[in-house]
Amino acid sequence: MKVLISKSKISLRVKALAKQIRADYKGEVPVFIGILKGSFMFMSDLIRNYGLDCELDFMALASYGGSKRGSGIIRLIKDININIRKRHVLIVEDIIDTGTTSNYIREYLILRSPKSVEFVVLLDKADARKVDVDIKYIGFEIPNKYVVGYGLDCAEKYRNLPYICVYED
Ligand code: IMP
Ligand code: MG
């Protein structure tokens, strides 16, 4: 498989994103909400680089069908435990493809009356978008190809790769 984004490029970009978030949330204690499972590695590196007081939680969702591409029907598998009322929330996602999942998450979390909700997304496949998503922090824009590694899977494999590859059979 061909490496699309190396370990060192990811590391530099994650550091820069953390720095930007630190500046934007000065004096606040944001709640980072990672979307499982794809975001686990990014989340871990992001909050280590963030370095200031914060809280974290995770949510898990599944789209029906189990295909590579989201089918559009989303089911909540694991909810957050932290009370986000009047809190600044940062949703941490591995990748935004069609945008369906992200929109579902934002609408779902907004019902709990947070002070703000923003997205921190490692990879943006802008060409695959079907529904608009307002993403404040983007790691990398990538072409409309299936990628794996650094948390992202193909049938649950390759999540442990420390870099991002374009998937090939
Ligand atoms: P969306 O709802 O179409 O934006 O898709 C979101 C989810 O689909 C992501 O959180 C990933 O789990 C999965 N996904 C989309 N594209 C890829 C990819 O290229 N590699 C691995 N997973 C992907
Ligand atoms: Mg997935």
Side-chain angles (χ1 to χ4, degrees):
M1 284 194 287
K2 213 177 105 215
V3 176
L4 182 69
I5 309 169
S6 69
K7 201 176 154 178
S8 59
K9 273 197 187 140
I10 296 171
S11 162
L12 278 176
R13 190 68 192 117
V14 172
K15 229 170 245 167
L17 285 174
K19 189 178 172 190
Q20 204 184 332
I21 296 169
R22 249 193 334 263
D24 293 350
Y25 289 81
K26 209 170 175 187
E28 304 288 349
V29 180
V31 182
F32 290 87
I33 299 179
I35 309 306
L36 294 172
K37 302 174 207 171
S39 75
F40 82 97
M41 215 178 265
F42 177 41
M43 174 72 137
S44 159
D45 285 341
L46 185 72
I47 62 161
R48 264 182 288 191
N49 280 286
Y50 181 71
L52 303 175
D53 271 359
C54 64
E55 291 176 25
L56 78 151
D57 208 337
F58 291 96
M59 258 175 99
L61 304 134
S63 53
Y64 283 110
S67 61
K68 279 198 211 165
R69 284 272 140 75
S71 58
I73 304 158
I74 297 157
R75 186 164 52 108
L76 185 72
I77 292 184
K78 187 222 170 289
D79 203 347
I80 49 168
N81 300 112
I82 288 180
N83 183 1
I84 58 166
R85 195 179 153 77
K86 295 185 180 166
R87 302 295 305 274
H88 290 290
V89 169
L90 286 154
I91 305 166
V92 181
E93 279 209 88
D94 52 354
I95 189 165
I96 301 202
D97 186 21
T98 62
T100 319
T101 313
S102 310
N103 267 312
Y104 175 94
I105 296 165
R106 190 199 287 269
E107 275 163 32
Y108 183 79
L109 292 177
I110 277 172
L111 297 175
R112 275 100 183 268
S113 314
K115 205 179 265 175
S116 68
V117 178
E118 298 291 352
F119 282 100
V120 191
V121 175
L122 182 67
L123 306 172
D124 178 22
K125 267 192 215 173
D127 293 341
R129 202 76 88 248
K130 285 183 189 155
V131 260
D132 260 354
V133 190
D134 181 17
I135 318 169
K136 187 157 181 195
Y137 306 96
I138 297 173
F140 303 91
E141 278 214 21
I142 61 162
N144 193 5
K145 293 203 170 122
Y146 200 82
V147 292
V148 295
Y150 198 69
L152 291 118
D153 74 309
C154 181
E156 296 304 327
K157 291 216 177 70
Y158 313 111
R159 291 195 198 275
N160 58 327
L161 295 178
Y163 41 77
I164 291 157
C165 287
V166 174
Y167 178 72
E168 285 158 21
D169 268 311

